[in-house]
PDB file of all heavy atoms in Angstrom:
ATOM      1  N   ALA N   1       4.942  -6.491  -5.053  1.00  0.00           N
ATOM      2  CA  ALA N   1       5.233  -6.505  -6.472  1.00  0.00           C
ATOM      3  C   ALA N   1       6.554  -5.786  -6.711  1.00  0.00           C
ATOM      4  O   ALA N   1       6.905  -4.850  -5.989  1.00  0.00           O
ATOM      5  CB  ALA N   1       4.109  -5.825  -7.250  1.00  0.00           C
ATOM      6  N   ASP N   2       7.280  -6.210  -7.721  1.00  0.00           N
ATOM      7  CA  ASP N   2       8.561  -5.585  -8.020  1.00  0.00           C
ATOM      8  C   ASP N   2       8.425  -4.088  -8.273  1.00  0.00           C
ATOM      9  O   ASP N   2       9.324  -3.309  -7.948  1.00  0.00           O
ATOM     10  CB  ASP N   2       9.208  -6.254  -9.232  1.00  0.00           C
ATOM     11  CG  ASP N   2       9.711  -7.652  -8.931  1.00  0.00           C
ATOM     12  OD1 ASP N   2       9.904  -7.978  -7.745  1.00  0.00           O
ATOM     13  OD2 ASP N   2       9.921  -8.423  -9.885  1.00  0.00           O
ATOM     14  N   SER N   3       7.304  -3.692  -8.830  1.00  0.00           N
ATOM     15  CA  SER N   3       7.103  -2.299  -9.185  1.00  0.00           C
ATOM     16  C   SER N   3       6.971  -1.379  -7.973  1.00  0.00           C
ATOM     17  O   SER N   3       7.142  -0.168  -8.098  1.00  0.00           O
ATOM     18  CB  SER N   3       5.867  -2.150 -10.076  1.00  0.00           C
ATOM     19  OG  SER N   3       4.706  -2.617  -9.413  1.00  0.00           O
ATOM     20  N   VAL N   4       6.672  -1.941  -6.803  1.00  0.00           N
ATOM     21  CA  VAL N   4       6.483  -1.118  -5.615  1.00  0.00           C
ATOM     22  C   VAL N   4       7.461  -1.455  -4.505  1.00  0.00           C
ATOM     23  O   VAL N   4       7.496  -0.758  -3.481  1.00  0.00           O
ATOM     24  CB  VAL N   4       5.042  -1.229  -5.076  1.00  0.00           C
ATOM     25  CG1 VAL N   4       4.033  -0.921  -6.170  1.00  0.00           C
ATOM     26  CG2 VAL N   4       4.785  -2.616  -4.485  1.00  0.00           C
ATOM     27  N   LYS N   5       8.249  -2.480  -4.673  1.00  0.00           N
ATOM     28  CA  LYS N   5       9.180  -2.911  -3.643  1.00  0.00           C
ATOM     29  C   LYS N   5      10.144  -1.784  -3.284  1.00  0.00           C
ATOM     30  O   LYS N   5      10.732  -1.151  -4.160  1.00  0.00           O
ATOM     31  CB  LYS N   5       9.941  -4.148  -4.111  1.00  0.00           C
ATOM     32  CG  LYS N   5      10.747  -4.842  -3.028  1.00  0.00           C
ATOM     33  CD  LYS N   5      11.328  -6.159  -3.546  1.00  0.00           C
ATOM     34  CE  LYS N   5      10.238  -7.128  -3.938  1.00  0.00           C
ATOM     35  NZ  LYS N   5      10.793  -8.438  -4.391  1.00  0.00           N
ATOM     36  N   GLY N   6      10.286  -1.544  -1.999  1.00  0.00           N
ATOM     37  CA  GLY N   6      11.142  -0.475  -1.521  1.00  0.00           C
ATOM     38  C   GLY N   6      10.431   0.846  -1.363  1.00  0.00           C
ATOM     39  O   GLY N   6      10.971   1.762  -0.734  1.00  0.00           O
ATOM     40  N   ARG N   7       9.237   0.960  -1.921  1.00  0.00           N
ATOM     41  CA  ARG N   7       8.464   2.195  -1.826  1.00  0.00           C
ATOM     42  C   ARG N   7       7.186   2.023  -1.010  1.00  0.00           C
ATOM     43  O   ARG N   7       6.743   2.963  -0.360  1.00  0.00           O
ATOM     44  CB  ARG N   7       8.096   2.713  -3.220  1.00  0.00           C
ATOM     45  CG  ARG N   7       9.292   3.054  -4.096  1.00  0.00           C
ATOM     46  CD  ARG N   7       8.844   3.738  -5.388  1.00  0.00           C
ATOM     47  NE  ARG N   7       7.984   2.880  -6.189  1.00  0.00           N
ATOM     48  CZ  ARG N   7       6.728   3.179  -6.529  1.00  0.00           C
ATOM     49  NH1 ARG N   7       6.184   4.323  -6.133  1.00  0.00           N
ATOM     50  NH2 ARG N   7       6.018   2.348  -7.269  1.00  0.00           N
ATOM     51  N   PHE N   8       6.600   0.840  -1.072  1.00  0.00           N
ATOM     52  CA  PHE N   8       5.345   0.565  -0.375  1.00  0.00           C
ATOM     53  C   PHE N   8       5.605  -0.363   0.806  1.00  0.00           C
ATOM     54  O   PHE N   8       6.483  -1.234   0.751  1.00  0.00           O
ATOM     55  CB  PHE N   8       4.339  -0.112  -1.311  1.00  0.00           C
ATOM     56  CG  PHE N   8       3.758   0.778  -2.383  1.00  0.00           C
ATOM     57  CD1 PHE N   8       4.331   1.995  -2.710  1.00  0.00           C
ATOM     58  CD2 PHE N   8       2.621   0.376  -3.062  1.00  0.00           C
ATOM     59  CE1 PHE N   8       3.798   2.799  -3.697  1.00  0.00           C
ATOM     60  CE2 PHE N   8       2.071   1.167  -4.052  1.00  0.00           C
ATOM     61  CZ  PHE N   8       2.656   2.382  -4.372  1.00  0.00           C
ATOM     62  N   THR N   9       4.819  -0.189   1.851  1.00  0.00           N
ATOM     63  CA  THR N   9       4.903  -1.050   3.022  1.00  0.00           C
ATOM     64  C   THR N   9       3.500  -1.446   3.460  1.00  0.00           C
ATOM     65  O   THR N   9       2.648  -0.585   3.681  1.00  0.00           O
ATOM     66  CB  THR N   9       5.615  -0.350   4.187  1.00  0.00           C
ATOM     67  OG1 THR N   9       6.932   0.045   3.786  1.00  0.00           O
ATOM     68  CG2 THR N   9       5.724  -1.292   5.384  1.00  0.00           C
ATOM     69  N   ILE N  10       3.273  -2.742   3.594  1.00  0.00           N
ATOM     70  CA  ILE N  10       1.995  -3.233   4.072  1.00  0.00           C
ATOM     71  C   ILE N  10       2.148  -3.654   5.531  1.00  0.00           C
ATOM     72  O   ILE N  10       3.168  -4.223   5.924  1.00  0.00           O
ATOM     73  CB  ILE N  10       1.477  -4.408   3.214  1.00  0.00           C
ATOM     74  CG1 ILE N  10       0.052  -4.800   3.623  1.00  0.00           C
ATOM     75  CG2 ILE N  10       2.409  -5.609   3.295  1.00  0.00           C
ATOM     76  CD1 ILE N  10      -0.596  -5.809   2.682  1.00  0.00           C
ATOM     77  N   SER N  11       1.148  -3.358   6.331  1.00  0.00           N
ATOM     78  CA  SER N  11       1.174  -3.718   7.734  1.00  0.00           C
ATOM     79  C   SER N  11      -0.249  -3.924   8.229  1.00  0.00           C
ATOM     80  O   SER N  11      -1.206  -3.477   7.595  1.00  0.00           O
ATOM     81  CB  SER N  11       1.880  -2.643   8.570  1.00  0.00           C
ATOM     82  OG  SER N  11       1.193  -1.408   8.485  1.00  0.00           O
ATOM     83  N   GLY N  12      -0.374  -4.599   9.356  1.00  0.00           N
ATOM     84  CA  GLY N  12      -1.687  -4.853   9.911  1.00  0.00           C
ATOM     85  C   GLY N  12      -1.734  -4.556  11.393  1.00  0.00           C
ATOM     86  O   GLY N  12      -0.738  -4.706  12.102  1.00  0.00           O
ATOM     87  N   ASP N  13      -2.880  -4.132  11.847  1.00  0.00           N
ATOM     88  CA  ASP N  13      -3.134  -3.886  13.260  1.00  0.00           C
ATOM     89  C   ASP N  13      -4.357  -4.712  13.630  1.00  0.00           C
ATOM     90  O   ASP N  13      -5.488  -4.327  13.337  1.00  0.00           O
ATOM     91  CB  ASP N  13      -3.366  -2.400  13.525  1.00  0.00           C
ATOM     92  CG  ASP N  13      -3.421  -2.072  15.002  1.00  0.00           C
ATOM     93  OD1 ASP N  13      -3.897  -2.913  15.789  1.00  0.00           O
ATOM     94  OD2 ASP N  13      -2.994  -0.961  15.377  1.00  0.00           O
ATOM     95  N   ALA N  14      -4.127  -5.857  14.270  1.00  0.00           N
ATOM     96  CA  ALA N  14      -5.213  -6.769  14.585  1.00  0.00           C
ATOM     97  C   ALA N  14      -6.230  -6.143  15.531  1.00  0.00           C
ATOM     98  O   ALA N  14      -7.437  -6.348  15.382  1.00  0.00           O
ATOM     99  CB  ALA N  14      -4.655  -8.057  15.190  1.00  0.00           C
ATOM    100  N   ALA N  15      -5.748  -5.378  16.502  1.00  0.00           N
ATOM    101  CA  ALA N  15      -6.641  -4.769  17.478  1.00  0.00           C
ATOM    102  C   ALA N  15      -7.578  -3.762  16.824  1.00  0.00           C
ATOM    103  O   ALA N  15      -8.744  -3.643  17.203  1.00  0.00           O
ATOM    104  CB  ALA N  15      -5.833  -4.104  18.589  1.00  0.00           C
ATOM    105  N   LYS N  16      -7.073  -3.022  15.860  1.00  0.00           N
ATOM    106  CA  LYS N  16      -7.882  -2.035  15.154  1.00  0.00           C
ATOM    107  C   LYS N  16      -8.608  -2.623  13.954  1.00  0.00           C
ATOM    108  O   LYS N  16      -9.385  -1.918  13.302  1.00  0.00           O
ATOM    109  CB  LYS N  16      -7.011  -0.860  14.705  1.00  0.00           C
ATOM    110  CG  LYS N  16      -6.427  -0.058  15.849  1.00  0.00           C
ATOM    111  CD  LYS N  16      -5.626   1.129  15.328  1.00  0.00           C
ATOM    112  CE  LYS N  16      -5.079   1.970  16.467  1.00  0.00           C
ATOM    113  NZ  LYS N  16      -4.293   3.123  15.971  1.00  0.00           N
ATOM    114  N   ARG N  17      -8.343  -3.878  13.682  1.00  0.00           N
ATOM    115  CA  ARG N  17      -8.941  -4.556  12.532  1.00  0.00           C
ATOM    116  C   ARG N  17      -8.745  -3.749  11.259  1.00  0.00           C
ATOM    117  O   ARG N  17      -9.693  -3.472  10.507  1.00  0.00           O
ATOM    118  CB  ARG N  17     -10.423  -4.839  12.786  1.00  0.00           C
ATOM    119  CG  ARG N  17     -10.659  -5.845  13.902  1.00  0.00           C
ATOM    120  CD  ARG N  17     -12.099  -6.289  13.977  1.00  0.00           C
ATOM    121  NE  ARG N  17     -12.286  -7.365  14.935  1.00  0.00           N
ATOM    122  CZ  ARG N  17     -13.413  -8.026  15.113  1.00  0.00           C
ATOM    123  NH1 ARG N  17     -14.478  -7.717  14.385  1.00  0.00           N
ATOM    124  NH2 ARG N  17     -13.494  -8.990  16.014  1.00  0.00           N
ATOM    125  N   THR N  18      -7.499  -3.411  11.021  1.00  0.00           N
ATOM    126  CA  THR N  18      -7.156  -2.578   9.878  1.00  0.00           C
ATOM    127  C   THR N  18      -5.825  -3.020   9.285  1.00  0.00           C
ATOM    128  O   THR N  18      -4.893  -3.347  10.021  1.00  0.00           O
ATOM    129  CB  THR N  18      -7.065  -1.096  10.279  1.00  0.00           C
ATOM    130  OG1 THR N  18      -8.303  -0.679  10.856  1.00  0.00           O
ATOM    131  CG2 THR N  18      -6.777  -0.232   9.062  1.00  0.00           C
ATOM    132  N   VAL N  19      -5.759  -3.036   7.970  1.00  0.00           N
ATOM    133  CA  VAL N  19      -4.524  -3.264   7.243  1.00  0.00           C
ATOM    134  C   VAL N  19      -4.174  -1.984   6.505  1.00  0.00           C
ATOM    135  O   VAL N  19      -5.054  -1.345   5.919  1.00  0.00           O
ATOM    136  CB  VAL N  19      -4.659  -4.442   6.262  1.00  0.00           C
ATOM    137  CG1 VAL N  19      -3.411  -4.566   5.388  1.00  0.00           C
ATOM    138  CG2 VAL N  19      -4.875  -5.740   7.019  1.00  0.00           C
ATOM    139  N   TYR N  20      -2.904  -1.617   6.522  1.00  0.00           N
ATOM    140  CA  TYR N  20      -2.455  -0.371   5.932  1.00  0.00           C
ATOM    141  C   TYR N  20      -1.545  -0.628   4.738  1.00  0.00           C
ATOM    142  O   TYR N  20      -0.858  -1.642   4.657  1.00  0.00           O
ATOM    143  CB  TYR N  20      -1.692   0.470   6.951  1.00  0.00           C
ATOM    144  CG  TYR N  20      -2.478   0.774   8.199  1.00  0.00           C
ATOM    145  CD1 TYR N  20      -2.342  -0.018   9.332  1.00  0.00           C
ATOM    146  CD2 TYR N  20      -3.359   1.851   8.250  1.00  0.00           C
ATOM    147  CE1 TYR N  20      -3.060   0.250  10.485  1.00  0.00           C
ATOM    148  CE2 TYR N  20      -4.081   2.128   9.393  1.00  0.00           C
ATOM    149  CZ  TYR N  20      -3.926   1.326  10.511  1.00  0.00           C
ATOM    150  OH  TYR N  20      -4.646   1.603  11.651  1.00  0.00           O
ATOM    151  N   LEU N  21      -1.535   0.321   3.838  1.00  0.00           N
ATOM    152  CA  LEU N  21      -0.587   0.322   2.741  1.00  0.00           C
ATOM    153  C   LEU N  21       0.046   1.703   2.687  1.00  0.00           C
ATOM    154  O   LEU N  21      -0.581   2.667   2.249  1.00  0.00           O
ATOM    155  CB  LEU N  21      -1.264  -0.003   1.405  1.00  0.00           C
ATOM    156  CG  LEU N  21      -0.322  -0.094   0.201  1.00  0.00           C
ATOM    157  CD1 LEU N  21       0.617  -1.285   0.355  1.00  0.00           C
ATOM    158  CD2 LEU N  21      -1.106  -0.196  -1.103  1.00  0.00           C
ATOM    159  N   GLN N  22       1.275   1.788   3.168  1.00  0.00           N
ATOM    160  CA  GLN N  22       2.017   3.041   3.146  1.00  0.00           C
ATOM    161  C   GLN N  22       2.739   3.156   1.810  1.00  0.00           C
ATOM    162  O   GLN N  22       3.505   2.267   1.450  1.00  0.00           O
ATOM    163  CB  GLN N  22       3.013   3.093   4.302  1.00  0.00           C
ATOM    164  CG  GLN N  22       3.784   4.385   4.393  1.00  0.00           C
ATOM    165  CD  GLN N  22       4.779   4.396   5.542  1.00  0.00           C
ATOM    166  OE1 GLN N  22       4.870   3.435   6.304  1.00  0.00           O
ATOM    167  NE2 GLN N  22       5.519   5.471   5.679  1.00  0.00           N
ATOM    168  N   MET N  23       2.504   4.237   1.106  1.00  0.00           N
ATOM    169  CA  MET N  23       3.061   4.431  -0.219  1.00  0.00           C
ATOM    170  C   MET N  23       3.929   5.682  -0.221  1.00  0.00           C
ATOM    171  O   MET N  23       3.491   6.751   0.196  1.00  0.00           O
ATOM    172  CB  MET N  23       1.944   4.555  -1.258  1.00  0.00           C
ATOM    173  CG  MET N  23       0.960   3.387  -1.245  1.00  0.00           C
ATOM    174  SD  MET N  23      -0.319   3.534  -2.531  1.00  0.00           S
ATOM    175  CE  MET N  23      -1.204   4.985  -1.935  1.00  0.00           C
ATOM    176  N   LYS N  24       5.148   5.534  -0.709  1.00  0.00           N
ATOM    177  CA  LYS N  24       6.086   6.641  -0.801  1.00  0.00           C
ATOM    178  C   LYS N  24       6.616   6.774  -2.221  1.00  0.00           C
ATOM    179  O   LYS N  24       6.552   5.831  -3.002  1.00  0.00           O
ATOM    180  CB  LYS N  24       7.256   6.435   0.169  1.00  0.00           C
ATOM    181  CG  LYS N  24       6.875   6.393   1.639  1.00  0.00           C
ATOM    182  CD  LYS N  24       8.101   6.209   2.513  1.00  0.00           C
ATOM    183  CE  LYS N  24       7.736   6.202   3.982  1.00  0.00           C
ATOM    184  NZ  LYS N  24       8.932   6.012   4.849  1.00  0.00           N
ATOM    185  N   ASN N  25       7.141   7.952  -2.515  1.00  0.00           N
ATOM    186  CA  ASN N  25       7.722   8.225  -3.833  1.00  0.00           C
ATOM    187  C   ASN N  25       6.774   7.819  -4.953  1.00  0.00           C
ATOM    188  O   ASN N  25       7.148   7.130  -5.901  1.00  0.00           O
ATOM    189  CB  ASN N  25       9.060   7.499  -3.980  1.00  0.00           C
ATOM    190  CG  ASN N  25      10.087   7.946  -2.962  1.00  0.00           C
ATOM    191  OD1 ASN N  25      10.211   9.137  -2.684  1.00  0.00           O
ATOM    192  ND2 ASN N  25      10.829   7.002  -2.406  1.00  0.00           N
ATOM    193  N   LEU N  26       5.564   8.284  -4.851  1.00  0.00           N
ATOM    194  CA  LEU N  26       4.536   7.915  -5.811  1.00  0.00           C
ATOM    195  C   LEU N  26       4.820   8.498  -7.191  1.00  0.00           C
ATOM    196  O   LEU N  26       5.342   9.610  -7.321  1.00  0.00           O
ATOM    197  CB  LEU N  26       3.172   8.377  -5.325  1.00  0.00           C
ATOM    198  CG  LEU N  26       2.609   7.573  -4.145  1.00  0.00           C
ATOM    199  CD1 LEU N  26       1.489   8.342  -3.460  1.00  0.00           C
ATOM    200  CD2 LEU N  26       2.110   6.218  -4.626  1.00  0.00           C
ATOM    201  N   THR N  27       4.479   7.735  -8.204  1.00  0.00           N
ATOM    202  CA  THR N  27       4.617   8.150  -9.593  1.00  0.00           C
ATOM    203  C   THR N  27       3.259   8.078 -10.271  1.00  0.00           C
ATOM    204  O   THR N  27       2.333   7.442  -9.758  1.00  0.00           O
ATOM    205  CB  THR N  27       5.606   7.252 -10.347  1.00  0.00           C
ATOM    206  OG1 THR N  27       5.001   5.976 -10.605  1.00  0.00           O
ATOM    207  CG2 THR N  27       6.878   7.046  -9.541  1.00  0.00           C
ATOM    208  N   PRO N  28       3.119   8.708 -11.434  1.00  0.00           N
ATOM    209  CA  PRO N  28       1.841   8.623 -12.146  1.00  0.00           C
ATOM    210  C   PRO N  28       1.415   7.185 -12.445  1.00  0.00           C
ATOM    211  O   PRO N  28       0.219   6.915 -12.555  1.00  0.00           O
ATOM    212  CB  PRO N  28       2.105   9.412 -13.436  1.00  0.00           C
ATOM    213  CG  PRO N  28       3.121  10.426 -13.021  1.00  0.00           C
ATOM    214  CD  PRO N  28       4.021   9.697 -12.066  1.00  0.00           C
ATOM    215  N   GLU N  29       2.370   6.273 -12.565  1.00  0.00           N
ATOM    216  CA  GLU N  29       2.027   4.877 -12.822  1.00  0.00           C
ATOM    217  C   GLU N  29       1.359   4.209 -11.628  1.00  0.00           C
ATOM    218  O   GLU N  29       0.767   3.142 -11.776  1.00  0.00           O
ATOM    219  CB  GLU N  29       3.281   4.089 -13.222  1.00  0.00           C
ATOM    220  CG  GLU N  29       3.865   4.505 -14.574  1.00  0.00           C
ATOM    221  CD  GLU N  29       5.037   3.644 -15.000  1.00  0.00           C
ATOM    222  OE1 GLU N  29       5.528   2.838 -14.185  1.00  0.00           O
ATOM    223  OE2 GLU N  29       5.466   3.769 -16.160  1.00  0.00           O
ATOM    224  N   ASP N  30       1.459   4.831 -10.468  1.00  0.00           N
ATOM    225  CA  ASP N  30       0.810   4.292  -9.275  1.00  0.00           C
ATOM    226  C   ASP N  30      -0.651   4.703  -9.182  1.00  0.00           C
ATOM    227  O   ASP N  30      -1.375   4.202  -8.314  1.00  0.00           O
ATOM    228  CB  ASP N  30       1.546   4.749  -8.011  1.00  0.00           C
ATOM    229  CG  ASP N  30       2.950   4.209  -7.915  1.00  0.00           C
ATOM    230  OD1 ASP N  30       3.140   3.007  -8.192  1.00  0.00           O
ATOM    231  OD2 ASP N  30       3.858   4.984  -7.557  1.00  0.00           O
ATOM    232  N   ALA N  31      -1.075   5.620 -10.011  1.00  0.00           N
ATOM    233  CA  ALA N  31      -2.460   6.071  -9.979  1.00  0.00           C
ATOM    234  C   ALA N  31      -3.389   4.921 -10.331  1.00  0.00           C
ATOM    235  O   ALA N  31      -3.190   4.229 -11.335  1.00  0.00           O
ATOM    236  CB  ALA N  31      -2.661   7.233 -10.951  1.00  0.00           C
ATOM    237  N   ALA N  32      -4.383   4.701  -9.510  1.00  0.00           N
ATOM    238  CA  ALA N  32      -5.301   3.583  -9.713  1.00  0.00           C
ATOM    239  C   ALA N  32      -6.366   3.605  -8.624  1.00  0.00           C
ATOM    240  O   ALA N  32      -6.281   4.365  -7.658  1.00  0.00           O
ATOM    241  CB  ALA N  32      -4.552   2.255  -9.682  1.00  0.00           C
ATOM    242  N   VAL N  33      -7.349   2.743  -8.794  1.00  0.00           N
ATOM    243  CA  VAL N  33      -8.257   2.436  -7.713  1.00  0.00           C
ATOM    244  C   VAL N  33      -7.658   1.253  -6.959  1.00  0.00           C
ATOM    245  O   VAL N  33      -7.395   0.206  -7.555  1.00  0.00           O
ATOM    246  CB  VAL N  33      -9.669   2.079  -8.221  1.00  0.00           C
ATOM    247  CG1 VAL N  33     -10.568   1.667  -7.059  1.00  0.00           C
ATOM    248  CG2 VAL N  33     -10.274   3.268  -8.961  1.00  0.00           C
ATOM    249  N   TYR N  34      -7.439   1.432  -5.683  1.00  0.00           N
ATOM    250  CA  TYR N  34      -6.816   0.403  -4.864  1.00  0.00           C
ATOM    251  C   TYR N  34      -7.876  -0.356  -4.080  1.00  0.00           C
ATOM    252  O   TYR N  34      -8.714   0.244  -3.408  1.00  0.00           O
ATOM    253  CB  TYR N  34      -5.800   1.020  -3.903  1.00  0.00           C
ATOM    254  CG  TYR N  34      -4.501   1.406  -4.567  1.00  0.00           C
ATOM    255  CD1 TYR N  34      -4.437   2.510  -5.411  1.00  0.00           C
ATOM    256  CD2 TYR N  34      -3.337   0.666  -4.352  1.00  0.00           C
ATOM    257  CE1 TYR N  34      -3.253   2.854  -6.037  1.00  0.00           C
ATOM    258  CE2 TYR N  34      -2.150   1.012  -4.967  1.00  0.00           C
ATOM    259  CZ  TYR N  34      -2.107   2.109  -5.807  1.00  0.00           C
ATOM    260  OH  TYR N  34      -0.929   2.455  -6.420  1.00  0.00           O
ATOM    261  N   HIS N  35      -7.811  -1.674  -4.169  1.00  0.00           N
ATOM    262  CA  HIS N  35      -8.738  -2.553  -3.476  1.00  0.00           C
ATOM    263  C   HIS N  35      -7.989  -3.434  -2.494  1.00  0.00           C
ATOM    264  O   HIS N  35      -6.882  -3.881  -2.772  1.00  0.00           O
ATOM    265  CB  HIS N  35      -9.472  -3.472  -4.459  1.00  0.00           C
ATOM    266  CG  HIS N  35     -10.286  -2.768  -5.488  1.00  0.00           C
ATOM    267  ND1 HIS N  35     -11.646  -2.550  -5.323  1.00  0.00           N
ATOM    268  CD2 HIS N  35      -9.957  -2.246  -6.696  1.00  0.00           C
ATOM    269  CE1 HIS N  35     -12.104  -1.922  -6.402  1.00  0.00           C
ATOM    270  NE2 HIS N  35     -11.103  -1.730  -7.238  1.00  0.00           N
ATOM    271  N   CYS N  36      -8.596  -3.714  -1.365  1.00  0.00           N
ATOM    272  CA  CYS N  36      -8.079  -4.748  -0.487  1.00  0.00           C
ATOM    273  C   CYS N  36      -8.979  -5.969  -0.592  1.00  0.00           C
ATOM    274  O   CYS N  36     -10.175  -5.857  -0.890  1.00  0.00           O
ATOM    275  CB  CYS N  36      -7.951  -4.276   0.963  1.00  0.00           C
ATOM    276  SG  CYS N  36      -9.474  -3.757   1.771  1.00  0.00           S
ATOM    277  N   ALA N  37      -8.386  -7.126  -0.371  1.00  0.00           N
ATOM    278  CA  ALA N  37      -9.107  -8.375  -0.522  1.00  0.00           C
ATOM    279  C   ALA N  37      -8.645  -9.366   0.536  1.00  0.00           C
ATOM    280  O   ALA N  37      -7.545  -9.250   1.073  1.00  0.00           O
ATOM    281  CB  ALA N  37      -8.881  -8.955  -1.921  1.00  0.00           C
ATOM    282  N   ALA N  38      -9.485 -10.353   0.819  1.00  0.00           N
ATOM    283  CA  ALA N  38      -9.182 -11.312   1.872  1.00  0.00           C
ATOM    284  C   ALA N  38      -9.552 -12.729   1.459  1.00  0.00           C
ATOM    285  O   ALA N  38     -10.517 -12.946   0.728  1.00  0.00           O
ATOM    286  CB  ALA N  38      -9.936 -10.945   3.156  1.00  0.00           C
TER     287      ALA N  38
END
């Protein structure tokens, strides 16, 4: 999303069966319940 571009990074590790969301320079507008979906 434009609101997180340059600050957030999504990545996946197939062997660990895990997807990550690295978040940097967080602001109060980023506060939320975060869900992953497939």
Side-chain angles (χ1 to χ4, degrees):
D2 289 340
S3 60
V4 306
K5 191 173 298 182
R7 299 188 299 120
F8 289 16
T9 302
I10 187 171
S11 62
D13 189 327
K16 295 183 178 180
R17 294 190 173 187
T18 303
V19 173
Y20 303 95
L21 183 66
Q22 183 181 358
M23 306 182 294
K24 298 181 179 180
N25 299 318
L26 288 163
T27 74
E29 293 184 350
D30 295 316
V33 176
Y34 284 73
H35 300 264
C36 61

